[in-house]
């Protein structure tokens, strides 16, 4: 079964542009017959310019270029570009779009749900974790470029007193959650396998970072680092761009590339072997993420759905955030720019003090294993999106390197939520969570004042302070009444386990690393 699924996806990737073989020996120079066949294929697709410098290359460079071009179907790329750049907007605009919030039967809110329901979901989630049926997929392909770092974003230190990286914070949450599940259900060992999707530039640094830090206390065999695919970069004229005379310019295929990568990397096969049934997927840049959240897992599993998503309540009508909605009767994400002012400002008839459309997307999802196993059946149906970029390249006429001052081409990408409309509403659900407890993205450089290292650190420290005060301790500070406390995930996943602090006074800023601190 596993081989059949992999063969199906390999065939799909060959049709698109990709190869799932990342362990091949260094490519050899092709024979004349092999070269002529490939050159004819590209000439027929009007993409023959990629061979402009072939004759001047060394034997090894010829092998590299031939190998790369062999994994690209130029006709398929032409079709993708044509469909993506020439979508019939007049037809789209003529079709009435009906937007509605998801039906109440498909939603829940931590803000409004009673404690009994939340505890029931939590218990069910911990039970599934104890039975080794839960896995985590982390989307960590980005570099910290905006943060002034070329390292993978997960390596970034937001300035906590402990100096922990995002990777370490999340790893320690997994460790704590495994312990909670073991203790609650009397198991000798609960394992939450962690699958980390990187990109070409971040894979090796991520692997080294984990090895250097001894996987942050996790078992190496339970951490899988894999790589998303790439797509050729295209000029504004629809031509495949060359990064150098011997290499095609490529870019990661977006977070929607997750689906194909799960198959080609054998992650799905490993999940099958382990008996995984429930998967939590999220982005690395959220320091507050509740990894493998048992409440979320229990909620989704109890509904027997295929996809669920966490959302935060939109701050106001003008906040620029994508929304989870029912669009023409299907679950979907609409961007802020896609809705008019009246729709954005509409109030909920049942709760007039809140917005009708308020479910802000935070890219925090649940998947059933049965759905992810079906990826080969629908991956080819997902749309591509265009990002116009300044792409360094080689001028195929002059041979000179070009560093454009304005966008000279496009990068094609897919979004992880593009799959939502594939589902019927009954197979989809949404859980609203507290923003201050679960969402603090790291997007901007230090000092920006919004979604930057300072706001991430402050949000995490304030959460720790709330944990401490809820446990019955008092937090004081001589200089800053808003000073927070860093509570190690190793002693508390979501505020539990801090009973020993009751009645104590904690002077902030502080770090609580052990129960006796």
């Amino acid at each position: 079964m596993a081989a059949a699924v992999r063969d199906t996806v390999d065939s799909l990737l060959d049709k698109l542009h990709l190869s799932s073989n990342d362990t091949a020996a260094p490519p050899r120079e092709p024979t004349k017959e092999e070269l002529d066949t490939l050159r004819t294929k590209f000439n027929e697709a009007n993409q023959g310019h990629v061979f402009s410098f072939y004759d001047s290359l060394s034997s090894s460079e010829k092998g590299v270029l031939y190998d790369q071009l062999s994994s690209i179907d130029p006709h398929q790329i032409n079709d993708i570009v044509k469909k993506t750049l020439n979508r019939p907007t007049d037809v789209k605009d003529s079709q009435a779009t009906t937007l509605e919030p998801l039906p109440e039967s498909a939603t829940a809110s931590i803000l409004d749900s009673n404690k009994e329901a939340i505890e029931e979901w939590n218990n069910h989630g911990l039970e599934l974790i104890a039975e080794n049926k839960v896995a985590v997929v982390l989307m960590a392909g980005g570099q910290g470029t905006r943060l002034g770092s070329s390292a993978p974003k997960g390596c970034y230190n937001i300035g906590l007193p402990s100096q922990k990286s995002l990777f370490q914070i999340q790893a320690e949450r997994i460790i704590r959650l495994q312990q909670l599940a073991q203790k609650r259900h009397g198991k000798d060992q609960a394992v939450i396998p962690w699958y980390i999707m990187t990109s070409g530039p971040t894979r090796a640094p991520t692997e080294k970072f984990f090895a250097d830090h001894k996987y942050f206390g996790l078992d190496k065999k339970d951490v899988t680092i894999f790589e998303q695919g790439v797509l050729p970069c295209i000029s504004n004229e629809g031509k495949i761009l060359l990064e150098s005379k011997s290499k095609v310019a490529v870019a990661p295929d977006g977070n929607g590339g997750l689906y194909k990568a799960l198959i080609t990397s054998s992650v799905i096969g490993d999940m099958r072997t382990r008996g995984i049934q429930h998967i939590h997927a999220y982005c690395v840049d959220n320091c507050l993420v509740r990894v493998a959240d048992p409440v979320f897992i229990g909620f989704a599993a109890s509904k027997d759905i295929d996809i669920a998503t966490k959302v935060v309540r939109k701050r106001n009508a003008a906040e620029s955030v994508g929304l989870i909605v029912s669009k023409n009767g299907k679950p979907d994400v609409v961007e802020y720019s896609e809705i008019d002012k009246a729709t954005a400002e509409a109030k909920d008839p049942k709760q007039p003090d809140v917005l009708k459309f308020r479910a802000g997307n935070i890219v925090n999802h649940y998947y059933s294993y049965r759905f992810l196993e079906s990826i080969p059946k629908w991956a080819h149906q997902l749309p591509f999106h265009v990002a116009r970029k300044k792409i360094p390249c080689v001028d195929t006429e002059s041979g000179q390197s070009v560093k454009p001052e304005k966008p000279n081409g496009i990068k094609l990408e897919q979004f992880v939520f593009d799959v939502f409309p594939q589902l019927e509403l009954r197979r989809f659900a949404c859980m609203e969570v507290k923003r201050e407890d679960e969402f603090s993205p790291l997007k901007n450089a230090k000092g920006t004042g919004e979604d930057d290292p300072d706001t991430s650190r402050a949000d995490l420290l304030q959460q720790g302070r709330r944990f401490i005060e809820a446990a019955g301790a008092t937090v004081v500070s001589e200089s800053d009444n808003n000073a927070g406390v860093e509570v190690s995930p190793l002693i508390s996943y979501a505020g539990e386990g801090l009973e020993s602090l009751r009645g104590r006074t904690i002077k902030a800023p502080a770090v609580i690393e052990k129960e006796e601190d």
Side-chain angles (χ1 to χ4, degrees):
M1 175 66 179
V5 172
R6 186 178 177 88
D7 288 346
T8 300
V9 174
D10 283 346
S11 175
L12 168 65
L13 298 181
D14 287 342
K15 289 180 180 178
L16 286 172
H17 48 270
L18 297 167
S19 169
S20 63
N21 182 7
D22 58 3
T23 59
R28 60 169 176 80
E29 180 178 347
T31 65
K32 182 179 184 304
E33 290 75 16
E34 290 171 332
L35 177 63
D36 288 346
T37 299
L38 188 63
R39 194 192 294 264
T40 297
K41 183 178 180 180
F42 276 80
N43 284 336
E44 290 175 346
N46 201 26
Q47 298 282 7
H49 62 281
V50 294
F51 290 95
S52 295
F53 310 107
Y54 185 84
D55 293 338
S56 66
L57 301 178
S58 68
S59 177
S60 60
E61 289 175 328
K62 288 178 179 179
V64 169
L65 181 59
Y66 177 84
D67 188 65
Q68 190 181 27
L69 292 175
S70 294
S71 69
I72 297 173
D73 182 341
H75 295 285
Q76 185 72 17
I77 292 298
N78 287 347
D79 289 344
I80 291 172
V81 172
K82 182 178 180 180
K83 291 177 182 177
T84 304
L85 293 181
N86 301 292
R87 285 184 178 140
T89 54
D90 55 333
V91 174
K92 179 181 177 181
D93 292 342
S94 68
Q95 296 174 339
T97 298
T98 301
L99 297 182
E100 290 292 338
L102 292 178
E104 290 185 6
S105 60
T107 63
S109 174
I110 295 299
L111 284 68
D112 302 326
S113 297
N114 60 59
K115 292 183 179 180
E116 290 76 15
I118 295 173
E119 185 57 27
E120 184 176 341
W121 294 329
N122 184 63
N123 287 336
H124 187 31
L126 286 174
E127 181 180 16
L128 292 170
I129 291 170
E131 294 173 349
N132 295 327
K133 293 181 178 179
V134 177
V136 172
V137 173
L138 168 59
M139 291 171 276
Q143 295 171 287
T145 307
R146 292 185 186 177
L147 308 173
S149 170
S150 61
K153 190 177 284 188
C155 302
Y156 195 80
N157 168 12
I158 59 174
L160 292 173
S162 68
Q163 301 298 302
K164 291 178 181 177
S165 65
L166 293 172
F167 280 141
Q168 182 170 353
I169 294 167
Q170 293 162 25
E172 291 183 352
R173 287 185 182 137
I174 291 175
I175 291 171
R176 174 65 178 175
L177 197 52
Q178 291 175 159
Q179 295 169 345
L180 289 174
Q182 289 170 202
K183 183 177 181 180
R184 176 72 63 90
H185 294 280
K187 299 290 185 178
D188 292 334
Q189 185 179 36
V191 175
I192 303 172
W194 199 12
Y195 303 97
I196 302 171
M197 186 177 78
T198 62
S199 61
T202 64
R203 181 172 186 168
T206 298
E207 290 174 334
K208 184 177 187 303
F209 194 75
F210 271 75
D212 290 347
H213 291 84
K214 302 186 187 307
Y215 292 82
F216 306 105
L218 292 166
D219 193 320
K220 180 180 178 179
K221 73 178 189 313
D222 297 323
V223 179
T224 300
I225 298 173
F226 64 106
E227 189 175 328
Q228 69 184 104
V230 295
L231 287 158
C233 298
I234 310 297
S235 74
N236 290 332
E237 294 71 39
K239 300 294 186 181
I240 295 173
L241 291 172
L242 291 177
E243 177 184 312
S244 67
K245 293 180 179 181
S246 61
K247 186 177 181 182
V248 174
V250 297
D253 53 6
N255 59 21
L258 168 70
Y259 302 115
K260 289 190 286 289
L262 287 174
I263 298 291
T264 60
S265 63
S266 299
V267 166
I268 291 297
D270 188 65
M271 288 181 180
R272 182 188 305 108
T273 299
R274 291 173 178 266
I276 298 299
Q277 296 297 320
H278 310 278
I279 297 95
H280 178 220
Y282 68 97
C283 293
V284 73
D285 60 3
N286 178 12
C287 69
L288 295 181
V289 63
R290 293 191 175 178
V291 186
D293 180 11
V295 175
F296 187 42
I297 297 294
F299 161 75
S302 66
K303 285 185 165 294
D304 191 28
I305 54 176
D306 286 325
I307 297 180
T309 185
K310 282 189 177 185
V311 299
V312 294
R313 188 168 293 185
K314 200 175 176 184
R315 288 192 179 105
N316 53 60
E319 183 179 8
S320 180
V321 60
L323 297 171
I324 304 291
V325 300
S326 168
K327 182 178 180 180
N328 297 332
K330 295 283 189 178
D332 209 339
V333 174
V334 295
E335 297 301 334
Y336 171 72
S337 58
E338 296 180 66
I339 59 176
D340 57 36
K341 188 171 185 289
T343 302
E345 294 179 349
K347 299 292 186 178
D348 186 335
K350 295 183 178 180
Q351 300 183 69
D353 58 331
V354 299
L355 296 171
K356 178 180 180 181
F357 296 98
R358 57 184 181 273
N361 178 35
I362 60 174
V363 195
N364 192 319
H365 309 311
Y366 162 93
Y367 298 93
S368 69
Y369 172 79
R370 68 184 173 222
F371 180 73
L372 292 184
E373 192 177 33
S374 72
I375 288 171
K377 297 179 180 178
W378 47 260
H380 64 284
Q381 300 175 17
L382 299 184
F384 289 86
H385 305 271
V386 167
R388 298 193 179 275
K389 299 286 186 178
K390 293 183 286 186
I391 305 170
C393 60
V394 171
D395 186 315
T396 54
E397 293 185 2
S398 68
Q400 298 296 311
S401 296
V402 177
K403 291 186 177 181
E405 296 181 355
K406 59 182 181 180
N408 64 320
I410 61 173
K411 294 182 179 181
L412 297 167
E413 58 184 352
Q414 294 178 309
F415 299 149
V416 73
F417 56 74
D418 286 332
V419 73
F420 290 1
Q422 302 276 341
L423 292 179
E424 297 179 17
L425 272 175
R426 65 185 180 85
R427 308 304 304 174
F428 186 91
C430 175
M431 172 177 276
E432 182 185 56
V433 298
K434 294 180 180 180
R435 186 189 294 252
E436 63 270 25
D437 280 339
E438 300 202 34
F439 187 56
S440 181
L442 178 60
K443 303 290 186 184
N444 303 314
K446 184 178 176 63
T448 305
E450 181 177 351
D451 298 341
D452 68 4
D454 294 333
T455 59
S456 291
R457 180 179 63 256
D459 288 344
L460 196 146
L461 294 179
Q462 283 301 307
Q463 181 187 66
R465 180 173 185 144
R466 291 193 298 274
F467 287 170
I468 295 295
E469 292 176 338
T474 300
V475 179
V476 298
S477 173
E478 293 181 357
S479 58
D480 184 359
N481 290 331
N482 293 317
V485 178
E486 182 182 356
V487 177
S488 171
L490 292 174
I491 65 167
S492 184
Y493 177 86
E496 82 296 328
L498 301 174
E499 294 79 9
S500 63
L501 299 177
R502 181 179 301 276
R504 291 183 55 182
T505 298
I506 308 296
K507 186 176 180 180
V511 182
I512 308 298
E513 284 281 5
K514 303 176 184 177
E515 292 188 23
E516 64 268 24
D517 280 357

